Amino acid sequence: MKKVGVAILGLGVVGGGTYRILTEHREFYRKTQNVDIEVESVLELDRSRALALGVPEEKIASNIAEIVSDPEINIVVEVIGGIGAAREFVLAALNAGKSVVTSNKELFCKYSHELERAAKRQNAGLYFEASCVGGVPIIRTLLDGVQANRISGMMGIINGTTNYILTKMTAEGRSYEECLKEAQKLGYAEADPTADVEGFDAAYKLSILSSLAFHTKVPFAKIYREGITGISQEDIADGMDLGYVLKLLAIGKQSDEGIEVRVHPTFVRKDHPLAAVNDSFNAVYLTGDAVGDVMLYGRGAGALPTGSAIVSDIIYAATHSENKYSTFKNTANAEKDVKFINNFKSAYYLRLTVEDRVGILGKIATIFGRHNVSIVEMVQKGTQQDGKVPLVLITHETKELSVRAAVAGINALGETAHVDTVLRVVS
Ligand code: HSE
């Protein structure tokens, strides 16, 4: 039976989960995959963490050089995160001809061209299922399952922390700050939650997923990004009254006009399949020209779900003699002839505070009309305070830049009216 040696760099939550799956399932993989996968080494500064997991003392390496020079190690798993040491260690492993499995979305998003070049040069594998949407096999689906298709769109909830926060704000009527604290207590959000709540994490993942789906490099810098830190309880409640649920969506579309990629809080109708994806769960909804719609749903984070993605990559690397690389030209920047669309189309939710007197609505309607923005419905919310009332409206599908121009026009009315919130809507 083929014997494969693995080293794990980093024994945090995901590294620990990976170690557990590999050791507990070793016999199962011997039977089902006809391969004997053994953890030969771990690199973890906190030795007590390794010992607590049951790693034998002699398997704890002191530095990366010990791992890359060990002929018993075929596959190196990087679960350190970040760019610094992770990039250096992954390159060292690839340059030594070892296959790499990584969960590092930021690293793969920013340096996939450099890493893949090193992997191809050494005929080593480079696998990254765990970098996007945890245990949900979205990368394998894009690389294999739906390869027959031209993918025209993908839409997903690909960050569990923000989905947890928005779910709690929606279901329990609590503030963003309270729900963030709870997410931190449960270990979903980091002490510094910026990467999740400002949409960076989702944008790294969208860059990777849309590059695979659209067969061309979609750099992080091309992704329009807005987080959830400015979301108020009023907006969530008003959206609910109108039949919508708020989600942080990652959206990628490809058409003859070009590619649009964006991450932002979005209202989805209550009967949309993504509206039912709650708590820390993730889901991705793909549309292919042959298959139609496909939706994948599951846990986007956590020790065992993410460990599941890593170990599945290890098994793939261990059982295939040919490596599988990206199905697009993996360059640092976008290809020259690819057009990215900034002035995308969407419906919008707007929340305004306006003076409660004759003629104000007329003025506002005139500004919308001037910019070609058409209103589907408008509701006055609550009662007058200091002579002003809140107004909530939904627009027909319109161009992003038209809405921005209309908002600027309304805000130029001074005391008369102000746009407090602009959110996009998927109907
Ligand atoms: N922090 C991410 C999330 C998981 O909340 O979904 C890892 O990407």
Side-chain angles (χ1 to χ4, degrees), residues 345-367:
K345 266 191 181 164
S346 175
Y348 290 79
Y349 158 102
L350 301 177
R351 185 186 173 82
L352 292 78
T353 306
V354 303
E355 281 181 344
D356 193 9
R357 62 181 168 80
V358 173
I360 297 298
L361 277 189
K363 276 191 183 174
I364 293 170
T366 304
I367 294 173

Side-chain angles (χ1 to χ4, degrees), residues 105 131 133 158-162 188 190 196 201 205 282 300-301:
K105 67 225 70 153
S131 67
V133 205
I158 58 177
N159 180 269
T161 303
T162 46
Y188 296 136
E190 309 270 335
D196 289 320
D201 176 85
K205 293 169 184 167
N282 284 196

Side-chain angles (χ1 to χ4, degrees), residues 141 145-151 286-295:
T141 299
V146 296
Q147 274 292 303
N149 293 261
R150 281 203 174 83
I151 305 288
L286 295 171
T287 306
D289 61 351
V291 70
D293 294 335
V294 175
M295 184 158 147

Side-chain angles (χ1 to χ4, degrees), residues 62 142 162 195 200 221 244 319:
S62 314
L142 287 169
T162 46
F200 288 97
Y244 296 99
T319 55

